[in-house]
Amino acid sequence: MTGSDEYAGLFGVIDENGTVKNLKLNEVNIKGISKVGTVAGYNHGTITGCSAAGIVTGNSRVGGIIGIQNKGTIIDCHSSATVEGNGYVGGVVGYMETFTMTAIIACSSTGDVEAKKEYAGGVVGYIMNGTITACYATGKVTGSRYTGGVAGFNSSGTITACYWSGENTTGVGRGNTSGTTKVTDGNWTKAMNAMNTALSGTGWRYVLGTNGLPVLEKNQ
């Protein structure tokens, strides 16, 4: 599956009334210039329970699930895709825009993320605003400057109970690092418990999967 130019993805743009659920994308090959993601290049809506594997490449605002997240919510989405670009590159979302109602909840990335110039993050490349809650990343995050295990840059966003276990020494490459913690011993139990506390009242909780990483499920 190959996109082109701007707004590259299975969906170019998902509007504020749009909903995508339980979509699984395998062996993707998404290529674009700006606003590039597997599920969508640009999202205003609600995305739940989606996953992607493969390769995503672009110039700017490139994400394993969404290129740009604006106003909408992403819940329980996972990317194992390799995500590459010049700037604003994230394992889940490349760029979160300025609206405070933008949210990423209980999402994860296990793929490698690379920004050849700046702002590479395991979960989000660049956070203008919004909230990131109970998310984690395990892939390698690289770039020429401003790389973080969770985010490349956090301008005015709120990060709560987010974790990473890659080689990065910091959770956020530039900006506020609060709410990010590195898992150094390979044991995700403590991190999982903290993420579950942050998810209290949402109807979701993590359990440890067979690979030792947290897996999200609905509360019984």
Side-chain angles (χ1 to χ4, degrees), residues 174-196:
R174 181 184 178 188
N176 190 351
T177 64
S178 297
T180 65
T181 305
K182 186 172 184 177
V183 175
T184 59
D185 58 2
N187 185 344
W188 282 81
T189 301
K190 184 176 180 180
M192 181 186 71
N193 290 338
M195 289 191 291
N196 282 339

Side-chain angles (χ1 to χ4, degrees), residues 15-181:
D15 69 22
E16 60 188 26
N17 296 314
T19 300
V20 180
K21 293 183 177 180
N22 304 324
L23 177 67
K24 298 186 183 300
L25 301 173
N26 294 316
E27 299 182 2
V28 301
N29 181 18
I30 304 292
K31 296 179 181 179
I33 295 175
S34 178
K35 309 173 188 71
V36 184
T38 57
V39 176
Y42 200 103
N43 178 53
H44 298 270
T46 301
I47 301 174
T48 305
C50 295
S51 64
I55 301 173
V56 188
T57 57
N59 180 20
S60 175
R61 293 158 175 79
V62 186
I65 299 294
I66 298 294
I68 291 184
Q69 174 74 3
N70 181 315
K71 291 186 180 181
T73 301
I74 305 175
I75 305 171
D76 183 27
C77 288
H78 171 75
S79 172
S80 61
T82 298
V83 188
E84 301 173 344
N86 285 330
Y88 310 103
V89 186
V92 178
V93 172
Y95 192 98
M96 287 183 73
E97 293 218 289
T98 58
F99 294 95
T100 57
M101 65 284 289
T102 301
I104 302 174
I105 303 168
C107 293
S108 60
S109 170
T110 56
D112 293 341
V113 178
E114 179 184 6
K116 294 179 176 63
K117 291 185 178 179
E118 60 186 0
Y119 305 128
V123 179
V124 184
Y126 192 102
I127 305 167
M128 282 295 293
N129 212 327
T131 61
I132 302 93
T133 304
C135 296
Y136 72 88
T138 64
K140 184 178 181 180
V141 181
T142 56
S144 60
R145 61 177 180 170
Y146 304 134
T147 64
V150 174
F153 179 54
N154 179 17
S155 177
S156 301
T158 300
I159 301 175
T160 302
C162 290
Y163 292 80
W164 86 98
S165 65
E167 298 175 359
N168 298 80
T169 58
T170 182
V172 178
R174 181 184 178 188
N176 190 351
T177 64
S178 297
T180 65
T181 305

